[in-house]
Amino acid sequence: KAGGSMTEFDTPILIVGGGPVGLALASELGWRGVNCILIERGDGDINIPKMNEVNMRSMEICRRWGIADKVINNPYPADMPFDVSFVTSLFGYELGRIPRPARKDQKPNAFSPHMLQVCSQFWFDPILKDFADSFDCVDLRYHQKLESFTQNEGGVTAAIIDQETGATSTLSAHYLVSCEGANSSIRQALGIKMEGTDEIERAMNAFFKAPNLMAQTGLDPATFFFHIDQGGLWANVRQIDPANDLWRIGVRNFPGEEVPDETGLNQYLHRALGRDLDVEWVDAHVWSRRAIVAETYSKGRVYLAGDAVHQLAPSGALGMNTGIGDAVDLGWKLAATVKGWGGDGLLDSYDLERRPIGTRNVEKATGFNADHTSIAGFDGMEDDTPEAKEKRAELGDNLVTNVGNTFRTIGLQIGYCYYDSPICAADKATAPEDSSADLHTTTYPGCRAPHIWLEDGVSILDKFAQDFTLLRFDTSLDTGVLEKAAAEHHVPITLVDIRNEAAADLYQQPLVLVRPDGHVAWRGAALPEDAQAVINTISGN
């Protein structure tokens, strides 16, 4: 079977958890031809989404897998603007607005072949599931619960319970990965602690159906609404599935631990709408905004990804998207190790690269959340007077400028860099600044190799091979020494010549070696003096 010389094991890799991060890891491994088994205690169906936005970097990953069009063409209406609107209430005054074009109005940009997409979890998970399931080497098993596991230097043995029949079984694997979410039983069994603030604040999300609500409000259509009244920024309301009239209200600083009865839910909705409205309540739950990161992302042969190792405020839409980044980073390294060319240091670099990103994104999301709590309303916000109108305009400017930072995140989405990575060959250039709102385009080792359009519809990202790609912008350079050193250690490198002056300028050096995950491993004006040392570094040997 593909990827498996480990015939004494049931599978090289056992993934626990079938949410978007687990499915993304199974997809990455399947795409690379590596055997894996994914077990999920439920049936995999999503009725109420926890996430609603697939950011630019996650879209680039989907493009690499060949499923970006499916995400783009999901059931969210193509003509519904992704705008963010600040309102006193849905039937009250709009204070300000951040335009974000509807899908049909999105234009190719200079920084990425994709823009952020609204694609709620009940659409996104099935896309990932279908993709992962398309590979013969991926085995998705539902209604299977991990009961316990043991590990030694050679592998991991897991005890499994079938949730439908009660039957027990065991699975052996070289590696175990927890994608179980915030309450990871594997993390707890390993004794890995979470560091940070366990509860910033408590919140409540409630989902309801309200036919034709958007048109009734008289507001210009938008996807996301922030609600500000005399009590400050106290809630948000989001369109989830306009075709089926599904909305969500999120209440901040929720006072209790129990979901209110229908009367209580209607009171919150009245405050958000500014009037009574008869709606169908679908679901409600209380949850905690957190700012925590695991002290380590692995122990022995067990690895953790997604909410199992980082939990952050939803401000900035970083949660699931950070987990997708974990899955891709871990996925190519597991694949390289299973196939035999990844060195001992390759999997060690997963924690060293991804934990700083988890910490960064938790800190950024917490900062955005603090910006929201700092906004104050004023008495008489909906008065029809010149004084109130002037105050509303001032408040709207404040909201668009400050709370708006939550939506100006191109640097957060695609500008992160694996500074000081042990598997990137650093050079003497100054490391780029890490910025939320701005993208510092660079080929500094550890950073995402930048996008540029080579021709209509073709990004330089589309030229990357599945494993390492040596981009050569000066075809007079002989790269044979580096390719020979890689071949001797079975490290797969594909040479790709790029004859494009603008791309050569953007990439700064005539030779740029891109990793299997699209980040830069090495760059230079000429071949390194010790090509073997570079190959050893990038492969973790």
Side-chain angles (χ1 to χ4, degrees), residues 295-318:
E295 60 183 347
T296 181
Y297 278 25
S298 67
K299 187 170 284 190
R301 288 184 168 272
V302 182
Y303 295 82
L304 303 96
D307 286 356
V309 283
H310 44 70
Q311 295 160 42
L312 56 160
S315 308
L318 294 168

Side-chain angles (χ1 to χ4, degrees), residues 169-183:
S169 61
T170 60
L171 283 174
S172 59
H174 255 227
Y175 301 100
L176 174 67
V177 184
S178 167
C179 302
E180 305 163 281
N183 298 315

Side-chain angles (χ1 to χ4, degrees), residues 17-148:
V21 176
L23 290 169
L25 179 56
S27 294
E28 178 75 6
L29 292 170
W31 184 65
R32 296 186 178 282
V34 174
N35 290 320
C36 64
I37 295 174
L38 180 150
I39 62 170
E40 161 59 42
R41 64 194 302 174
D43 59 10
D45 290 343
I46 304 295
N47 298 315
I48 296 299
K50 291 183 179 179
M51 55 71 57
N52 298 287
E53 295 186 349
V54 182
N55 76 11
M56 295 169 74
R57 186 58 181 148
S58 295
M59 286 301 301
E60 290 177 354
I61 292 164
C62 289
R63 181 186 185 91
R64 206 153 146 66
W65 289 337
I67 60 173
D69 285 349
K70 292 184 178 180
V71 180
I72 291 169
N73 295 317
N74 79 76
Y76 198 81
D79 59 352
M80 180 62 70
F82 296 170
D83 288 9
V84 177
S85 172
F86 301 93
V87 296
T88 58
S89 65
L90 277 184
F91 287 91
Y93 289 96
E94 181 172 87
L95 305 168
R97 179 175 285 248
I98 299 172
R100 299 196 299 172
R103 190 170 287 123
K104 72 176 182 63
D105 298 322
Q106 291 180 343
K107 302 280 194 297
N109 62 80
F111 305 111
S112 173
H114 292 284
M115 297 181 71
L116 174 148
Q117 297 298 328
V118 171
C119 181
S120 294
Q121 188 180 1
F122 48 32
W123 301 318
F124 188 57
D125 278 21
I127 293 171
L128 290 178
K129 180 181 176 181
D130 288 347
F131 180 61
D133 206 27
S134 70
F135 299 103
D136 290 340
C137 57
V138 175
D139 186 354
L140 304 179
R141 301 183 183 181
Y142 290 90
H143 304 290
Q144 305 293 307
K145 177 187 176 185
L146 176 76
E147 182 67 12
S148 62

Side-chain angles (χ1 to χ4, degrees), residues 13 37 64 150-151 168 273 317 334 356 379 403 406 516 538:
I13 299 147
I37 295 174
R64 206 153 146 66
T150 58
Q151 66 167 317
T168 60
L273 299 181
L334 283 168
D379 290 338
V403 177
T406 303
I538 66 172

